[in-house]
Amino acid sequence: MGEYAAQAKLAVRNAGMRYGDRVALENCSFDVAPNTIVSIVGPSGCGKTTLLWAMSGLHNLTDGQILLDGKPITGPHPDIGLVFQDANLLPWRNLMDNILFPFEIKGQTPDRDWIEHLMERVQLTGFERNFPRELSGGMQQRAAIVRALSLRPSVLLMDEPFGALDAFTRDEMNKLVEEIWMETHTTIVFITHSIEEALFLSDRVVVLSPRPGRVQSEYEIPFERPRTMEIMAGKEAYDLTYRIKGDIYGHQAKKLAEAKG
Amino acid sequence: MSEDGGVVGSDVGKGFQSLSSFGTGGLRTRLEILAIIATAVIVIGGMELALRIFEVPLYILPPPSAIVSALITDFPLILPHLGHTLVVLFSGFAIGAGVGMVLAAVITQFPFAEKIIAPYVLILVTTPMLALVPLLILRFGFGYEPRIIAVALASGPMVMINSATGFRRVDSQKIALARSYGASTLQIFWKVRAPMALPMILVGLMIGAIFGLLTAVGAEMVGGGFGLGNRLTTYSSMIQMPQFFGVVLLLSTLGILIYVIFFFIGKKWASWEA
Ligand SMILES: Nc1ncnc2c1ncn2[C@@H]1O[C@H](COP(=O)(O)OP(=O)(O)OP(=O)(O)O)[C@@H](O)[C@H]1O
Ligand SMILES: [Mg+2]
């Protein structure tokens, strides 16, 4: 730790996770600087969810540790918000009761002004009394984001939050995350399968290798925000996409070659 | 055991849905209501007419009008027996359902214990509790006790088997959500597991209540003395068929009432599932 721990919001240190004989994650180390967005990409099953759950304190690592502001994470932490792969709303509660769920669990009085502001920001005002099944997938995921932000966490962890959405809705949601970040500067760790999404959102992209997941490479994304279509369609973005894809698919090509002969 | 409970449950669930079509407005439903009333009039009126035309004797099958008028005139005599039946049903059901729900909640937390207990619950579900009534009477006499025990034994396993199916529907993502906010085991139970199980619990309570009603009446027929079941044996032995069918009508009404009550509870508290 030492030199990093002072400045990193989250520091992943030699993180390893074994499920019985299966090694899901091995010797992973990287930093998440405060007030930045870091994306984690990597092939399916390489341990991304495992890593994120360890960051949220829901899992205990079998090796290494993760530091939040220099202190090891040992369990769920009020400063960390988590957005799940599907919206994970409770179907028997209306939207507002879903958003108030964390406050109910913690026995805290909700900050109504803040929640109202968030609802407006994600354009859900007027849907407070609706039940999840009455809303589109995008709206549900927006409500899940409001729920995660309602406690004003300083870190927001998002596990492929838009993976199940169509391409247009996904673009809108990415724009929304950017807007929210520009307003709050919340540190965000974002897992995705989409390199395009990672480039649009992040200050840094961490590429994990196939299982057991290790940090294969890291990229700084230097574009300023808000990121326009021109930036994202430019040469620099193209080159980054090419290199990241090379890292991911290169691995697969190698594996294929090994399997063949 | 989960299969049994689940299958019974989902069928009743569909029943809930078909009944819910009553609620919606519009021309189609008005036509439907008209058709329902018309069918009832034709069936009941047709029965009345046929029984009178063919001069079917009263002791074989009385016409609907005779049944209703017998029920009305003898109602003061029948009312105390209705009271007895309701006491037996309510107490037996409350005990059976309470124990059933608690056992289901506890047992589903320990899959190992569940495997051990499952066969016994299945035996309880499949054994007609009526068969035990004579035995219970030997032990507890002719009062309320044997009947209440029989009702509890009949409804409890039904409630338990369905509630267990509900509690077993754990969603690890939703539990993780609660845990990520630091929820305790108790909070996870009341705020995640229980609401998630509620639709199945309600189905179990409804089936349990109807089984309880059947068992209460059966036990009263065996146990003598008082209760609507006792009225059935008395009226049939005295060949008072209009009164007999009047009581049968009353019992069907009770059964339908149970269904309707749970339908509306389900609509209010478990409609998120539909
Ligand atoms: N509870 C568990 N028990 C056993 N093995 C597990 C468990 N959770 C995850 N694994 C295994 O660990 C590995 C990593 O899983 P993880 O869910 O973290 O991958 P992922 O990168 O999030 O995949 P995806 O992109 O498909 O979501 C997988 O091989 C998975 O089978
Ligand atoms: Mg995953």
Side-chain angles (χ1 to χ4, degrees), chain B residues 114-137:
Chain B
E114 195 181 344
K115 282 201 186 86
I116 296 174
I117 293 180
Y120 303 99
V121 178
L122 202 59
I123 289 170
L124 279 179
V125 167
T126 49
T127 309
M129 286 309 147
L130 278 181
L132 296 185
V133 170
L135 196 79
L136 291 169
I137 288 173

Side-chain angles (χ1 to χ4, degrees), chain B residues 45-56 58 61-66:
Chain B
M47 243 173 92
E48 181 84 35
L49 216 65
L51 290 172
R52 286 189 189 279
I53 287 173
F54 296 111
E55 293 179 351
V56 177
L58 229 60
L61 189 57
S65 61

Side-chain angles (χ1 to χ4, degrees), chain B residues 11-62:
Chain B
D11 282 354
V12 176
K14 280 181 205 119
F16 274 150
Q17 278 163 24
S18 68
L19 201 76
S20 74
S21 59
F22 277 114
T24 49
L27 182 70
R28 221 192 117 210
T29 36
R30 225 177 289 164
L31 269 174
E32 273 174 10
I33 290 173
L34 212 68
I36 289 165
I37 294 174
T39 311
V41 168
I42 290 169
V43 169
I44 296 170
M47 243 173 92
E48 181 84 35
L49 216 65
L51 290 172
R52 286 189 189 279
I53 287 173
F54 296 111
E55 293 179 351
V56 177
L58 229 60
Y59 60 84
I60 292 181
L61 189 57

Side-chain angles (χ1 to χ4, degrees), chain B residues 195-208:
Chain B
M196 196 134 66
L198 188 64
M200 281 308 293
I201 294 177
L202 286 178
V203 167
L205 288 175
M206 188 191 68
I207 299 173

